[in-house]
Amino acid sequence: MYHKTTGYRVFSYFNYAFMILAGLACFLPLLHLLAQSLSSKAAISGNMVSFWPVGFNVDAYVKTFNNSNFNGAMLTSITRTVLGTTISMFILTCAGYALSKEFRGRNVLMWFFIFTMLFSGGLIPSYILITALGLKDTIWALVLPGAFGAYNLILLVNFFKTIPKALEEAAFIDGASFFVILSKIYLPLSLPGIATVSLFIMVGHWNSWFDGILYMSDASKYPLASFLQTVVVQSNMQSMAMSQSEVAAMSEQSIKAAQIFVSTLPIILVYPFLQRYFVKGIVLGAVKE
Amino acid sequence: MYVLCIPAFVFVCIFSYGPMVGLLMAFQDYKPWLGITGSRWIGLDNFERIFQYKEATQAIVNTLIIAVSKIIVGIIVPIVMAILLSEIRNMGIKKSVQTLVYLPHFLSWVTVAGLMIDILGLDGGINHILTRIFGNDPIYFLGNPDLFRFTVVISDVWKSFGFGMIVYLATIAGINPSYYEAAEIDGATRRQQIRYVTLPSMLPMIIVISTLSLGNILDAGFDQVFNLYNPLVYSTGDIIDTYVYRSSLLNGQYGFGTAVGLFKSGISLILIVVSYRLAYKYANYKIF
């Protein structure tokens, strides 16, 4: 079917090499991180570690898991992710199911929701609102403000719309309630969509760092990503204004690497299983022709 | 139906429309202890200040430059990569490459910044390679104002190109194979097939994505810049969002910060509406 010309064959070899390189480029930095986390301090400062641990040891992981701040932050992140995803999915599936039907005022309501995607109060008004509601320093400040996302709603609405009406009508005649229709017909049939949106929300909660820094006045209440932000990024900014001895006293590179790696691990582990869903989910939910 | 929408409605009213009331602060000399009702009204003074403060105008210029470069590179790279990847026939390699290139999208900017700081540092991996090959002095990518924007754009492409490819790959997969067969019979080479079959078939999708990205022209990526920048590169790296954060929450100019934020949201809103109109007109795209 394809022209087996020399030119195409040469292109093909280059293409294979290039694509494999591109794939590796997305993955090697993480491998480098893993290698660092398992290497000895001397090997890292001597710049000897690339993608394989030098002076193998797991001290960094022992120290990471003995760090009560790290564990506390991990717990906050897990709580937040579970709580946040549950609440969001409840709100979104209810509204998404309703809005996939035609009813009076549906378009007005839809635009009311979509408008939040186009325009927002911004940083300071949101901050003042959260403070005024007394949510500051509680986990609710991390969970509630982002619970509703218009983009995810659109994905779900588009998904629910692809399910044939006849199924619902048949179930209705058989005496099924709305709740039964939603849970027995819509949810299973739109699993790719549900999985995609849940994955986005979960990853969003797990990775979100700024709200933690903004709404938690005490660093011990930070979720994992905010904790890492202070350890990894802020310490780097400070190190530029520090003397050598101060830099040496800061957290070692191997510990930083271990902390980053542990925090990334859930994503790396969950993602291959959900990948087949999200590709389908995005394409079906976003592309309509 | 209405009952099912109540939870969403309540949340939106409180957490999305609630802060919009706070936008009134943009027209005030806001003092936290006086609140919105007690603070002094100063009309458009805060907005005039945006153009008087050198730092603020600089932040707007930086935002535009960074965002526009990101949009251009962020559209071209995924298209090219999708076409190249679709030329790969070995399904095992194709799937593995796909899995790997999607991955960075799911990493937090904190994580990526951690990686970047390490890899782009003076004794990091990239400098290691560059000094080997070119024998130059190590380059400090994150501390050099001239290189900072470049670094921001490249790291953004690294993180997002795989994910951006998804819709293009789906479009290519949806092209009717008989087009290729017909082109083949007419004697088209593989390159001509890409040019006359693949690209035209992708065009509607490319138009949709390009027009929609117009709305992001004032969004240079707070998460990324905040985690990568430092005082050394404020001159070229400070964007509207990071400037709002520093001038308002750190320096207490709430009214002014809100005004800058409102300025940005207002222009973005107009741009987004325009871009949706264009996408609808030229590619018949509808959001729902």
Side-chain angles (χ1 to χ4, degrees):
Chain A
M1 186 180 157
Y2 297 101
H3 269 290
K4 292 287 176 232
T5 58
T6 326
Y8 185 70
R9 216 171 291 146
V10 171
F11 160 77
S12 214
Y13 287 135
F14 272 109
N15 193 21
Y16 271 89
F18 184 65
M19 280 296 138
I20 291 170
L21 269 180
L24 286 179
C26 291
F27 165 72
L28 286 180
L30 281 173
L31 195 64
H32 176 56
L33 194 71
L34 179 64
Q36 278 192 327
S37 70
L38 292 168
S39 295
S40 69
K41 204 177 164 182
I44 293 176
S45 53
N47 222 343
M48 281 145 57
V49 183
S50 49
F51 304 114
W52 197 253
V54 178
F56 183 87
N57 69 77
V58 291
D59 289 357
Y61 288 92
V62 175
K63 280 186 189 154
T64 297
F65 285 114
N66 282 334
N67 181 340
S68 62
N69 280 338
F70 182 87
N71 290 336
M74 183 99 143
L75 192 66
T76 308
S77 271
I78 294 173
T79 321
R80 154 185 200 170
T81 306
V82 172
L83 205 62
T85 312
T86 317
I87 295 177
S88 288
M89 285 316 286
F90 173 74
I91 300 173
L92 288 172
T93 39
C94 287
Y97 173 70
L99 290 166
S100 68
K101 311 266 166 275
E102 293 298 328
F103 59 92
R104 260 192 76 195
R106 179 212 175 240
N107 277 347
V108 179
L109 206 55
M110 196 73 192
W111 278 112
F112 184 76
F113 289 135
I114 286 179
F115 186 70
T116 63
M117 204 163 86
L118 313 179
F119 190 78
S120 72
L123 176 66
I124 298 131
S126 309
Y127 176 80
I128 289 172
L129 176 80
I130 298 297
T131 315
L133 290 174
L135 296 178
K136 216 165 168 272
D137 285 325
T138 68
I139 192 140
W140 301 110
L142 308 177
V143 171
L144 297 182
F148 176 86
Y151 178 74
N152 291 329
L153 180 77
I154 296 173
L155 279 181
L156 279 179
V157 168
N158 286 338
F159 241 100
F160 287 144
K161 271 188 175 171
T162 59
I163 292 166
K165 265 208 167 87
L167 273 180
E168 186 183 16
E169 280 158 12
F172 208 63
I173 291 165
D174 288 345
S177 66
F178 271 124
F179 181 74
V180 173
I181 293 175
L182 183 60
S183 60
K184 291 265 164 69
I185 297 176
Y186 275 76
L187 294 189
L189 283 178
S190 43
L191 201 61
I194 306 270
T196 308
V197 174
S198 310
L199 174 72
F200 286 167
I201 297 175
M202 276 188 318
V203 171
H205 273 296
W206 187 260
N207 279 343
S208 153
W209 53 277
F210 184 62
D211 48 2
I213 287 172
L214 197 59
Y215 297 134
M216 301 292 152
S217 50
D218 184 357
S220 66
K221 290 179 186 153
Y222 278 179
L224 198 52
S226 312
F227 169 80
L228 273 183
Q229 209 271 342
T230 56
V231 170
V232 177
V233 178
Q234 288 182 20
S235 69
N236 176 64
M237 283 192 202
Q238 283 156 10
S239 72
M240 282 187 284
M242 277 184 191
S243 66
Q244 277 312 103
S245 58
E246 281 174 310
V247 173
M250 279 184 347
S251 92
E252 298 164 27
Q253 183 58 34
S254 60
I255 297 180
K256 272 192 210 175
Q259 288 174 334
I260 301 178
F261 193 77
V262 171
S263 76
T264 312
L265 206 57
I267 292 175
I268 301 177
L269 290 180
V270 170
Y271 147 89
F273 300 102
L274 286 171
Q275 194 209 354
R276 65 192 178 104
Y277 283 129
F278 83 68
V279 174
K280 225 200 272 175
I282 295 163
V283 172
L284 284 179
V287 186
K288 295 182 306 307
E289 279 174 89
Chain B
M1 291 299 130
Y2 298 107
V3 178
L4 285 172
C5 290
I6 289 175
F9 189 78
V10 170
F11 267 86
V12 166
C13 283
I14 299 176
F15 294 107
S16 298
Y17 288 93
M20 289 182 205
V21 178
L23 287 172
L24 291 172
M25 281 188 295
F27 308 97
Q28 288 185 326
D29 179 21
Y30 183 80
K31 299 273 186 280
W33 55 91
L34 294 174
I36 290 183
T37 42
S39 295
R40 200 162 54 87
W41 294 91
I42 52 168
L44 294 174
D45 283 11
N46 282 327
F47 291 92
E48 280 167 23
R49 250 174 258 165
I50 298 176
F51 299 99
Q52 284 160 6
Y53 288 172
K54 202 175 144 276
E55 274 190 322
T57 38
Q58 183 66 54
I60 294 173
V61 173
N62 292 339
T63 307
L64 280 172
I65 296 176
I66 294 176
V68 171
S69 332
K70 270 189 188 178
I71 289 172
I72 296 171
V73 181
I75 288 174
I76 295 173
V77 174
I79 295 174
V80 173
M81 294 302 273
I83 293 176
L84 289 179
L85 192 63
S86 70
E87 289 296 311
I88 286 192
R89 301 288 143 190
N90 182 323
M91 284 317 276
I93 291 180
K94 195 171 174 175
K95 287 268 178 265
S96 329
V97 170
Q98 257 173 298
T99 307
L100 290 179
V101 296
Y102 297 156
L103 181 65
H105 175 81
F106 291 93
L107 303 178
S108 146
W109 267 118
V110 176
T111 306
V112 178
L115 293 173
M116 295 286 162
I117 289 167
D118 182 41
I119 294 170
L120 297 173
L122 282 177
D123 50 7
I126 300 285
N127 270 317
H128 211 64
I129 297 167
L130 287 181
T131 46
R132 273 282 172 77
I133 300 174
F134 300 107
N136 57 341
D137 288 332
I139 303 163
Y140 195 24
F141 290 95
L142 295 172
N144 182 336
D146 298 327
L147 285 174
F148 186 75
R149 288 173 185 155
F150 175 76
T151 314
V152 165
V153 174
I154 295 295
S155 56
D156 184 61
V157 166
W158 177 79
K159 192 174 183 292
S160 60
F161 84 89
F163 202 72
M165 268 172 32
I166 292 179
V167 285
Y168 297 117
L169 278 175
T171 317
I172 296 175
I175 299 173
N176 190 338
S178 58
Y179 292 152
Y180 289 109
E181 282 156 24
E184 182 104 8
I185 289 165
D186 288 345
T189 63
R190 198 65 202 142
R191 201 185 314 159
Q192 284 168 328
Q193 290 176 28
I194 291 175
R195 185 154 165 219
Y196 295 108
V197 180
T198 313
L199 273 178
S201 312
M202 289 169 80
L203 202 61
M205 204 64 219
I206 297 175
I207 293 175
V208 167
I209 294 195
S210 327
T211 43
L212 292 186
S213 64
L214 189 69
N216 294 331
I217 232 162
L218 287 182
D219 233 328
F222 175 80
D223 278 20
Q224 178 190 16
V225 173
F226 190 86
N227 282 312
L228 288 177
Y229 84 158
N230 53 68
L232 292 176
V233 293
Y234 279 171
S235 61
T236 57
D238 200 14
I239 58 170
I240 299 177
D241 294 323
T242 52
Y243 180 68
V244 168
Y245 176 74
R246 277 189 299 119
S247 66
S248 52
L249 284 175
L250 298 186
N251 298 332
Q253 297 169 291
Y254 290 89
F256 176 64
T258 309
V260 181
L262 177 59
F263 174 76
K264 185 197 152 194
S265 311
I267 294 183
S268 296
L269 175 66
I270 297 169
L271 287 171
I272 293 171
V273 172
V274 170
S275 64
Y276 275 115
R277 282 271 157 84
L278 289 177
Y280 180 67
K281 193 173 165 195
Y282 291 107
N284 206 14
Y285 174 84
K286 283 197 296 198
I287 332 175
F288 64 89

